[in-house]
Amino acid sequence: MRRASALSDVTVDLPAADLDHLRMPDLEALRRPFSTHKPRILILYGSLRQISFSRLLAMEAKRLLEHFGAEVKVFDPSGLPLPDDAPVSHPKVQELRDLSAWSEGQVWVSPERHGTLTGIMKAQIDWIPLSVGAIRPTQGKTLAVMQVSGGSQSFNAVNAMRLLGRWMRMLTIPNQSSVAKAYQEFDADGRMKPSSYYERVVDVCEELVKFTYLTRDISDYLTDRYSERKEAAVKAVNLKAM
């Protein structure tokens, strides 16, 4: 069947598509009024060391995000059990899941270990479910990724977290931060020194707040999918036939 769209004068043949479930982009749905409450941002970091540069970077991001008008909460991973080694009713698991549900955007900060993110970072992400019934707790939330390295600059951890963010159906912002030789970038009070690395952290935080404002009120529309509409229609027919 051929059909011309409302936004185009081109007639396209789509024999494999179910036209009942195709939707043209709705410009009005993309122009919803902005919510006025502060963007809610959750920060996760991936180290339990007493002197943890990922935690110091997380706290620096917290200050910047608060400056840009966000409400920020930082999850302490200490005491979080390994995935599947405790029930979901475990207090730390519930704390993490409640914070993830509360958030409209997240920041993941991990050291690079063995060429990727740390197990502590991965455990936190693994405890956040991809779906709970018909609800996907992270779908449509914004995400910024940062890493710290003990040596030269690398992007292995941020690249791995980008992949995980995509798997969690999050909207990962274009910018990212990778702080090389992190032990040189913080002063005795744990504050990040002025540098090009710090400037990139500012860029990331500013961009995350902008993208969160831009997408949080329309995330349900942005993540509305043809395949899922079609699947839901089939389930509804099957339930009606029972």
Side-chain angles (χ1 to χ4, degrees):
M1 182 175 181
R2 298 169 69 84
R3 178 178 294 179
S5 76
L7 298 179
S8 171
D9 58 2
V10 177
T11 301
V12 182
D13 188 17
L14 301 172
D18 185 338
L19 299 181
D20 289 336
H21 302 292
L22 285 179
R23 301 284 187 274
M24 292 305 301
D26 182 349
L27 300 184
E28 292 306 312
L30 294 169
R31 297 191 184 106
R32 295 177 191 171
F34 286 174
S35 296
T36 56
H37 66 272
K38 293 182 176 183
R40 299 191 296 262
I41 306 297
L42 169 64
I43 301 180
L44 307 179
Y45 61 89
S47 171
L48 298 178
R49 291 179 176 178
Q50 185 175 2
I51 300 177
S52 166
F53 294 110
S54 64
R55 183 173 65 249
L56 293 179
L57 182 56
M59 298 310 296
E60 206 66 55
K62 177 178 185 291
R63 297 181 189 100
L64 286 164
L65 290 165
E66 289 174 339
H67 171 79
F68 290 126
E71 180 181 359
V72 185
K73 297 184 180 181
V74 180
F75 178 71
D76 179 359
S78 181
L80 182 72
L82 289 173
D84 303 324
D85 196 35
V88 295
S89 58
H90 188 284
K92 290 295 291 189
V93 175
Q94 282 302 303
E95 178 189 356
L96 174 58
R97 290 189 171 195
D98 288 346
L99 286 172
S100 182
W102 164 86
S103 70
E104 296 168 325
Q106 297 186 15
V107 181
W108 296 351
V109 187
S110 179
E112 181 176 324
R113 184 171 298 167
H114 296 166
T116 187
L117 71 162
T118 62
I120 294 165
M121 190 75 230
K122 183 63 162 55
Q124 294 173 79
I125 298 168
D126 285 347
W127 270 122
I128 301 172
L130 182 61
S131 63
V132 178
I135 300 172
R136 293 183 172 86
T138 53
Q139 177 166 273
K141 297 180 188 293
T142 53
L143 172 65
V145 293
M146 304 184 188
Q147 76 169 72
V148 292
S149 303
S152 59
Q153 191 172 45
S154 164
F155 299 95
N156 291 325
V158 288
N159 287 340
M161 289 188 286
R162 280 188 176 277
L163 187 154
L164 289 168
R166 176 167 59 87
W167 197 255
M168 300 297 282
R169 302 185 176 189
M170 302 179 80
L171 304 174
T172 309
I173 66 170
N175 222 327
Q176 62 187 24
S177 169
S178 174
V179 180
K181 297 182 180 178
Y183 58 88
Q184 295 180 348
E185 298 303 320
F186 294 86
D187 63 23
D189 295 321
R191 298 303 305 271
M192 198 168 182
K193 301 174 184 177
S195 69
S196 60
Y197 294 132
Y198 178 77
E199 290 172 2
R200 179 55 66 89
V201 174
V202 176
D203 289 347
V204 170
C205 292
E206 181 181 16
E207 189 171 287
L208 178 65
V209 172
K210 290 178 182 177
F211 271 78
T212 305
Y213 271 122
L214 186 64
T215 62
R216 66 178 180 179
D217 295 304
I218 58 172
S219 62
D220 57 340
Y221 178 68
L222 291 173
T223 56
D224 179 45
R225 296 178 177 87
Y226 162 77
S227 60
E228 293 177 354
R229 291 193 298 269
K230 186 176 177 182
E231 181 183 2
V234 171
K235 287 181 179 178
V237 169
N238 291 340
L239 285 173
K240 195 172 182 179
M242 291 177 65

